[in-house]
Amino acid sequence: MSDSVDYRPMWESLGLDLAAHDMLLAAIPQMYTDAFLTQKDRPEGMAYFDFVMSEIHGLRIKELVDHKAAGGKVIGTFCLYVPEEIIRALGGVAVGLCAGAEWAYDEVEQILPRNTCALIKSFMGFKMGKVCPYVESADLVIGETTCDGKKKAYELFGEMAPVHVMELPQMKRPDDMKLWRAEIDRLVAKLEEVTGNKLTAENLAKGIQEVNDKRRALQHLNAARKASPAPISGKDALLAVQVAFYDDVPRFTQMVNKLADELEARVAAGTGVAPVGAPRVLVTGSPMSIPNWKLPDIIEKAGGVVVTEELCTGSRYYEKLVAEDASSMDAMLDDIAEKYLDINCACFTPNPGRIDDVIRLAKEYNADGILHYALQFCGPYTIEAYSVDKAAQDAGIPVLRVDTDYSMEDVGQLQTRIEAFLEMLEKPAVSA
Amino acid sequence: MSDSVDYRPMWESLGLDLAAHDMLLAAIPQMYTDAFLTQKDRPEGMAYFDFVMSEIHGLRIKELVDHKAAGGKVIGTFCLYVPEEIIRALGGVAVGLCAGAEWAYDEVEQILPRNTCALIKSFMGFKMGKVCPYVESADLVIGETTCDGKKKAYELFGEMAPVHVMELPQMKRPDDMKLWRAEIDRLVAKLEEVTGNKLTAENLAKGIQEVNDKRRALQHLNAARKASPAPISGKDALLAVQVAFYDDVPRFTQMVNKLADELEARVAAGTGVAPVGAPRVLVTGSPMSIPNWKLPDIIEKAGGVVVTEELCTGSRYYEKLVAEDASSMDAMLDDIAEKYLDINCACFTPNPGRIDDVIRLAKEYNADGILHYALQFCGPYTIEAYSVDKAAQDAGIPVLRVDTDYSMEDVGQLQTRIEAFLEMLEKPAVSA
């Protein structure tokens, strides 16, 4: 965090618990240094992300506060299914909410069961502990019914903050699309009420284009990861998607495109972050929120390289775009509904699209193995792991299944398991 | 199990694992004797249920096999939301599937996470272990999307048996009703295909009336439990609802009405199963399938009496009826959709109806305390417990929260907690 500006009055005005927040801020830089700044041969473009991370509770919050002072609204989200296009069209700024570290679990476990997944306990803890400046800046938090835990936790969260819950259907048939399309209309109405602005074909087209550009930039960046040696670490690529949930959209797009250009040059020059032959890993499963870098950190410190993520903080975020050829607002909203319902979350039944995505990405990115990562007590992903595993076996791709949380207690055990897995993935010609 | 008839050839023809099934059948009678036959002052009408239980894998299965031999179909269900009216109208017999005991968990945990709720592990275990003659008799199993665990487990169950999954929405607004109403149409189409019969206003009206009569009989029985002393134990009343999922409908209705008449006479005579002043307990939470009698057994052996159950195996099953005044088939299906969506499962968000039901029932049945029972890892009920607890506190009703499974490992600890709770509920005038 920058030393030059005193953000404490701003945090205080947002209602943060300053003493607790200091403790949080004291922990993150060391974690970040250990995970990111110790990496060798990083792309220069990552300097931007180092800066963003150093200012994630500082300068970026200042920008949100300024946006609010100018009459704009801040909309907090926890999930990929909330259309940022509409929020931006109405002059809102969408921000992901803090959910990637253990915080105030003692308080959380007074209202939620202990065996709730870490993501949910974390977002409740950050709110109850008053240490997340994003949620405290939010004029509205948008929830969704993607899993039992979130669905029911939002009821309790709603007692602490203004919450609007979108009902995501559980299948993808025409009747589900009707329900979902109606949810989009309800979201528009709610956001028009909160922002005081009116959705138009013009502002929506702009919102669609800006968010598509952001996703295109991430596609651009990620395409370079197909090369061997990988031009960027999995940790750095993950960080880019994590930051996509928080950062100013046009600036982020510009910086990611710049980084992607650099990666293309690295690929052309044969420059990588890991030797050719380092085991290439696809990670799939539950989302990874900042600062949850635990698993890619273990994989890459053990000599592997994560080449793609079939995650909400990965390909699910950037692979699909909203169509840009609609001329009426209604048609644009149809396109938005379609793009979002097309995301393959394990909350759908059945969910063959995700299995296909995993196998397709593993081939496109030349992954030697798949690491299936699930948060403990995340029912949808822990159960779907079985089907992913089976499909991968059929495709001849080794899978390691890891169920974990945000604690560091199992790091030693995970290191051992992951090292053994990577060893198995090493090609004889390379290990000789 | 009756000794006079050899059902083994029948079980074998259904594909049961006879050796494993023998082990299961050897365990149940002792459990049943301990829980039910040791009770004092039982209503005479319970003799019917003793008989039904002794023949639950025998005579009743014979009836199903005969039904199938005559061209009828057997439809397995796991959930209250599957409309039995439609199944009956099409000449099918609806049966609940085995899900109340630990079975073949070793096999189950090879495909499902260990931390899946006992109900789900149980139904998968009974199928994988081939010991449930109901599921083996079923021509179709109907699943639903009521929770993450079931929703995703049905995908795997569907590889072992023919499964049709109904999408239950997660809210109860008009758009949700539209989706649900379309699900009812899809169910009709599927059942028409499986049974080879055609739904008509006549057979549907009959189905509605028969199932309503069953529910009215259970209302009749349960109304008597408002009296003090309670004329029937909670265990016996629970058993009646559990058997409602399996038994022949008109016969069951007749026997329950007979039992209810007896209870009315007992109430008039002041005859009870527990002394006046015994702590009266309302049980609410996750469903209790046969032979899951663990909690009411502990409560009643500790001197309490369960007077009502806000459970799927309780008031949620029998309190609401399908309207009987519709004249067209479409209108009847509307009424069915409405009745079923009106059930207050914790899978809905928000779910104030259940909280209201719990408090209302506690008052109607003069409950001294509420026992909130949740299966471990049952997200919806474990999380909603917080809201139930809060509402009960506001209403001045003590609550004990119990999260457990089907094992007997925690019985000692539960006994201690429940005894302490009952002691707290005892009225000074009585305990003096």
Side-chain angles (χ1 to χ4, degrees), chain A residues 122-139:
Chain A
S122 178
F123 80 63
M124 291 293 277
F126 274 84
K127 175 67 194 167
M128 295 176 84
K130 296 190 180 117
V131 292
C132 172
Y134 291 92
V135 71
E136 301 308 332
S137 304
D139 297 287

Side-chain angles (χ1 to χ4, degrees), chain B residues 269-310:
Chain B
T271 310
V273 291
V276 173
R280 299 169 65 88
V281 178
L282 175 150
V283 175
T284 180
S286 307
M288 294 180 182
S289 300
I290 292 176
N292 177 18
W293 305 304
K294 180 172 159 177
L295 216 64
D297 192 48
I298 295 174
I299 294 169
E300 300 196 328
K301 282 184 175 151
V305 59
V306 177
V307 291
T308 188
E309 299 81 12
E310 194 283 318

Side-chain angles (χ1 to χ4, degrees), chain B residues 134-350:
Chain B
Y134 291 91
V135 72
E136 300 309 331
S137 306
D139 297 287
L140 179 69
V141 170
I142 302 178
E144 17 52 49
T145 59
T146 44
C147 67
D148 292 342
K150 285 208 272 178
K151 177 167 72 176
K152 298 307 282 183
Y154 290 136
E155 296 174 14
L156 306 177
F157 196 90
E159 295 176 9
M160 301 183 279
V163 172
H164 172 86
V165 176
M166 298 185 77
E167 183 179 5
L168 187 74
Q170 305 174 77
M171 297 184 179
K172 298 186 176 184
R173 304 157 311 176
D175 283 320
D176 297 296
M177 177 54 89
K178 268 187 226 163
L179 181 80
W180 179 235
R181 182 65 182 76
E183 281 301 297
I184 300 282
D185 282 340
R186 261 187 291 272
L187 178 71
V188 170
K190 181 73 191 177
L191 287 171
E192 285 186 336
E193 174 201 321
V194 169
T195 62
N197 295 326
K198 198 84 195 143
L199 197 71
T200 65
E202 290 66 38
N203 60 28
L204 187 53
K206 183 158 179 276
I208 289 171
Q209 163 131 34
E210 283 173 344
V211 179
N212 275 351
D213 283 347
K214 168 159 76 164
R215 299 194 209 277
R216 272 189 281 257
L218 286 167
Q219 289 173 3
H220 184 187
L221 181 159
N222 279 279
R225 301 171 74 195
K226 294 178 184 171
S228 177
I232 184 171
S233 69
K235 259 181 291 192
D236 281 334
L238 170 65
L239 184 66
V241 181
Q242 288 176 330
V243 167
F245 287 86
Y246 295 87
D247 202 7
D248 176 73
V249 175
R251 178 176 64 206
F252 175 87
T253 302
Q254 188 192 347
M255 300 310 287
V256 169
N257 275 321
K258 207 173 134 193
L259 173 61
D261 288 342
E262 182 189 353
L263 298 188
E264 278 178 3
R266 284 166 75 99
V267 169
T271 310
V273 291
V276 173
R280 299 169 65 88
V281 178
L282 175 150
V283 175
T284 180
S286 307
M288 294 180 182
S289 300
I290 292 176
N292 177 18
W293 305 304
K294 180 172 159 177
L295 216 64
D297 192 48
I298 295 174
I299 294 169
E300 300 196 328
K301 282 184 175 151
V305 59
V306 177
V307 291
T308 188
E309 299 81 12
E310 194 283 318
L311 297 176
C312 289
T313 48
S315 65
R316 279 179 231 143
Y317 182 82
Y318 59 75
E319 271 209 323
K320 287 163 184 168
L321 303 177
V322 177
E324 289 172 335
D325 54 355
S327 50
S328 73
M329 198 177 80
D330 259 1
M332 288 177 203
L333 292 173
D334 289 347
D335 290 338
I336 286 174
E338 196 175 325
K339 174 248 161 10
Y340 281 92
L341 197 64
D342 198 27
I343 299 171
N344 296 318
C345 173
C347 64
F348 289 100
T349 187

Side-chain angles (χ1 to χ4, degrees), chain A residues 111 145 148 151-152 155 159 167-168 170 173 175-176 183 186 346-349 382 384 386 390, chain B residues 111 113 145 148 151-152 155 159 167-168 170 173 175-176 183 186 346-349 384 386 390:
Chain A
I111 65 172
T145 60
D148 292 342
K151 177 167 72 177
K152 299 305 284 184
E155 295 174 13
E159 295 176 10
E167 183 180 5
L168 186 72
Q170 304 174 77
R173 303 158 312 176
D175 283 320
D176 298 296
E183 281 302 295
R186 262 187 290 273
C347 65
F348 289 100
T349 187
T382 54
E384 201 165 276
Y386 177 80
K390 222 173 71 172
Chain B
I111 64 171
T145 59
D148 292 342
K151 177 167 72 176
K152 298 307 282 183
E155 296 174 14
E159 295 176 9
E167 183 179 5
L168 187 74
Q170 305 174 77
R173 304 157 311 176
D175 283 320
D176 297 296
E183 281 301 297
R186 261 187 291 272
C347 64
F348 289 100
T349 187
E384 200 165 278
Y386 178 80
K390 222 173 72 170

